[in-house]
């Protein structure tokens, strides 16, 4: 099919711009609403087309200059060419459309997007890809749709400054390390106090690399702890430094609470935007409306990120998580913060729900924060008879699917708040409240 000039009408979940070719829907990455773009169709499906941008014939008035010099090559960002206010607007429309179309959620129930206070420099975790090409070391991220590493130079604008300093120190150190060519990824994380941990992934044996990293500790002044993982499923081996990071949940976040300090171990999960994580916690606690008498179940609880703030105003909280290391963090966090009315179990969430239903256990509130694929046992939550369900999601499509299932089992959506955890990308977090009808 020959190149076509189309007008981009809107943006879609996935980041692409939407236009039409002879009436047929066409999705084109890196285009903005209002663009008149020359595009080339690269994939034709029965009901839609996928195109690539060849030339901006008439750029949209919305466009701004991207901050990152490798934007468009690196696969990390989608929308740096749009002002942040427009990104927030587009995310709100896409989120409401998705919940309405798939989940049959009334648009009036969807609240405005909670924008991120920081549109750059917010990420507390990055996975830096490493390769050697033509004798030159590259640190960066994969090019869109490939495993070709695009070097990010002085760092990623989305990452917190300490992570870019850590990456720069590894860039200098790596060429002199034994088995440097076997290093293919470095995971960098930081707590809200600025401490940082690095996990170096190696395809080869770890002993010489581990010894060198231990010896060269002084050359990584921004890194408080280093671990090595050899092979895809190798155990983490410590080179030096701290074992965990932490962040604070201030007492002022919710009425009647006190400050919490929550840790997560190396390799453990934490939200990538600390300031927006506090918005998730604040919203969940406010909407929970606990009085001190309720029994709460927190599925996919991680390190207790939601369980422990909720425990302040609950009679009892049970947290369930399949990753044992995160449960160890949750137990330690409860003990360190003097919280005695929370228990934590290592279990697949869906299996745990089925066991609890079989035992005829009941909960006043169920909170869940599943991975991108959604909640396998969403329809079965009704068997626990919660008066209220609070669903935290990182994927609008699977959220909408699960909401439709829950609404078919005796619940209705009362409100849903999109929370922009990921500026410059199409990704979005959200909190949704359902009550029993």
């Amino acid at each position: 099919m020959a190149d076509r000039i189309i007008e981009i009408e809107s943006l879609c979940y996935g980041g692409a711009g939407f236009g039409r070719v002879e009436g047929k829907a066409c999705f084109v990455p890196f285009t903005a609403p209002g663009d008149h773009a020359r595009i080339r169709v690269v994939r034709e499906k029965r009901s839609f087309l996928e195109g690539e941008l060849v030339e901006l014939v008439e750029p949209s008035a919305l466009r701004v200059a991207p901050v990152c010099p490798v934007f468009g090559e690196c696969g990390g960002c989608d929308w740096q060419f749009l002002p942040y206010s427009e990104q927030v607007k587009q995310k709100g429309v896409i989120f409401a459309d998705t919940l309405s179309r798939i989940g049959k959620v009334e648009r009036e129930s969807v609240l405005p997007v909670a924008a991120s206070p920081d549109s750059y420099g917010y990420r507390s975790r990055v996975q830096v890809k490493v390769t050697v090409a033509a004798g030159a070391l590259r640190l960066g991220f994969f090019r869109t749709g490939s495993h070709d590493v695009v070097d990010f130079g002085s760092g990623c604008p989305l990452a917190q400054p300490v992570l870019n300093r850590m990456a720069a120190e590894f860039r200098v150190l790596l060429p002199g390390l034994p088995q440097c060519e076997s290093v293919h990824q470095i995971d960098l994380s930081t707590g809200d106090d600025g401490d940082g941990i690095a996990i170096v992934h190696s395809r080869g044996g770890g002993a010489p690399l581990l010894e060198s990293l231990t010896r060269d500790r002084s050359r990584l002044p921004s890194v408080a702890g280093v671990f090595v993982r050899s092979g895809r499923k190798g155990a983490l081996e410590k080179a030096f430094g701290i074992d965990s990071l932490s962040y604070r949940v201030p007492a002022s976040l919710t009425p009647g609470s006190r400050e919490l300090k929550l840790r997560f171990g190396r390799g453990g999960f934490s939200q990538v935007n600390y300031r927006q994580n506090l918005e998730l916690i604040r919203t969940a606690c406010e909407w929970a409306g606990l009085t001190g008498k309720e029994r709460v179940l927190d599925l996919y609880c991680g390190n207790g990120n939601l369980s422990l703030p909720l425990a302040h105003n609950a009679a009892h909280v049970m947290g369930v998580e399949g990753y044992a290391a995160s449960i160890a963090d949750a137990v330690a966090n409860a003990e360190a913060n003097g919280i005695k009315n929370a228990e934590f179990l290592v279990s697949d969430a869906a299996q745990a729900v089925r066991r609890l239903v079989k035992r005829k256990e009941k909960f006043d509130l169920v909170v869940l924060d599943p991975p991108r694929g959604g909640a396998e046992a969403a329809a079965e939550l009704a068997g626990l008879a919660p008066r209220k369900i609070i669903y935290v999601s990182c994927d609008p499509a699977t959220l909408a699917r699960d909401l439709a299932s829950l609404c078919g089992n005796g619940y209705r959506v009362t409100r849903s708040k999109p929370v922009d955890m990921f500026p410059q990308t199409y990704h979005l977090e959200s909190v949704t409240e359902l009550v029993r009808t």
Side-chain angles (χ1 to χ4, degrees):
M1 187 179 288
D3 291 356
R4 302 294 182 92
I5 296 177
I6 67 171
E7 180 178 3
I8 302 301
E9 301 173 20
S10 61
L11 294 176
C12 304
Y13 188 75
F18 168 80
R20 294 186 183 276
V21 174
E22 297 177 354
K24 196 170 187 178
C26 183
F27 302 97
V28 187
F30 303 115
T31 56
D35 279 344
H36 287 75
R38 187 185 307 279
I39 65 107
R40 181 172 299 129
V41 174
V42 294
R43 192 168 291 108
E44 186 167 1
K45 303 289 186 178
R46 186 171 63 180
S47 58
F48 66 92
L49 306 171
E50 294 179 5
E52 64 179 9
L53 177 63
V54 176
E55 177 190 6
L56 282 175
V57 178
E58 184 181 336
S60 167
L62 293 171
R63 281 186 171 266
V64 297
V67 168
C68 182
V70 295
F71 173 73
E73 299 178 59
C74 163
C77 293
D78 308 291
W79 291 346
Q80 280 195 29
F81 52 77
L82 286 175
Y84 184 55
S85 59
E86 183 65 22
Q87 295 180 32
V88 171
K89 174 184 172 183
Q90 293 288 334
K91 288 187 179 188
V93 171
I94 293 167
F95 183 77
D97 285 348
T98 303
L99 262 58
S100 174
R101 178 170 45 86
I102 301 174
K104 310 306 178 188
V105 174
E106 295 181 359
R107 292 176 186 271
E108 294 75 16
S109 301
V110 179
L111 303 177
V113 177
S116 175
D118 304 305
S119 58
Y120 286 98
Y122 64 85
R123 284 196 67 100
S124 61
R125 290 186 290 113
V126 291
Q127 291 183 338
V128 179
K129 306 300 180 183
V130 182
T131 190
V132 177
L137 182 72
R138 291 183 187 173
L139 271 72
F141 304 115
F142 286 145
R143 190 182 306 276
T144 304
S146 79
H147 286 102
D148 179 29
V149 176
V150 177
D151 197 297
F152 57 27
S154 60
C156 172
L158 269 58
Q160 291 192 20
V162 64
L163 300 184
N164 288 327
R165 292 197 300 271
M166 292 164 70
E169 291 163 11
F170 272 104
R171 185 187 293 275
V172 174
L173 180 64
L174 280 172
L177 294 180
Q179 300 176 325
C180 169
E181 68 284 352
S182 71
V183 175
H184 61 95
Q185 179 172 301
I186 305 175
D187 300 344
L188 304 176
S189 304
T190 182
D192 67 1
D193 57 2
D195 281 345
I197 285 179
I199 298 176
V200 179
H201 295 257
S202 170
R203 295 188 180 93
L209 180 61
L210 195 69
E211 292 169 5
S212 292
L213 287 167
T214 304
R215 185 177 61 247
D216 291 330
R217 176 174 186 169
S218 63
R219 299 178 65 188
L220 297 169
S222 300
V223 187
V226 172
F227 294 79
V228 173
R229 171 166 280 152
S230 301
R232 292 184 62 186
K233 296 184 178 181
L236 289 176
E237 297 180 273
K238 184 175 180 178
F240 66 79
I242 63 176
D243 297 281
S244 64
L245 299 170
S246 65
Y247 56 94
R248 294 181 183 276
V249 180
S252 59
L253 195 66
T254 57
S257 65
R258 52 190 171 80
E259 183 176 283
L260 299 175
K261 183 177 181 181
L262 303 181
R263 82 170 205 190
F264 59 98
R266 67 280 185 271
F269 176 80
S270 68
Q271 295 286 3
V272 302
N273 186 329
Y274 285 133
R275 296 181 73 178
Q276 288 296 77
N277 181 50
L278 295 181
E279 178 64 17
L280 290 181
I281 295 171
R282 188 194 65 76
T283 302
C285 289
E286 178 185 313
W287 290 5
L290 299 176
T291 65
K293 300 178 181 178
E294 292 84 2
R295 192 164 187 241
V296 178
L297 175 65
D298 182 12
L299 300 171
Y300 313 94
C301 69
N303 69 332
N305 185 57
L306 295 173
S307 313
L308 297 175
L310 287 166
H312 283 309
N313 296 304
H316 184 264
V317 176
M318 176 186 292
V320 176
E321 166 65 50
Y323 184 49
S326 288
I327 287 293
D329 285 336
V331 171
N333 284 332
E335 183 176 352
N337 288 280
I339 295 173
K340 303 185 184 302
N341 63 332
E343 64 173 315
F344 296 95
L345 307 174
V346 179
S347 173
D348 172 80
Q351 292 177 9
V353 169
R354 290 165 190 147
R355 285 197 304 270
L356 291 167
V357 170
K358 189 174 182 179
R359 298 204 307 250
K360 298 184 179 181
E361 299 221 28
K362 306 298 179 187
F363 292 87
D364 301 289
L365 170 69
V366 172
V367 178
L368 62 159
D369 184 2
R372 197 165 298 281
E376 181 185 338
E380 298 166 72
L381 294 179
L384 301 173
R387 174 183 58 84
K388 184 179 290 186
I389 296 171
I390 293 178
Y391 192 139
V392 178
S393 170
C394 62
D395 188 283
T398 57
L399 168 66
R401 177 203 67 199
D402 291 345
L403 293 181
S405 176
L406 287 164
C407 290
N409 284 274
Y411 289 83
R412 65 180 177 88
V413 174
T414 51
R415 48 187 167 175
S416 184
K417 177 191 284 187
V419 178
D420 190 13
M421 189 78 71
F422 315 98
Q424 315 308 327
T425 81
Y426 70 86
H427 296 288
L428 190 68
E429 202 88 6
S430 63
V431 186
T432 301
E433 177 189 69
L434 302 99
V435 298
R436 192 170 57 214
T437 55

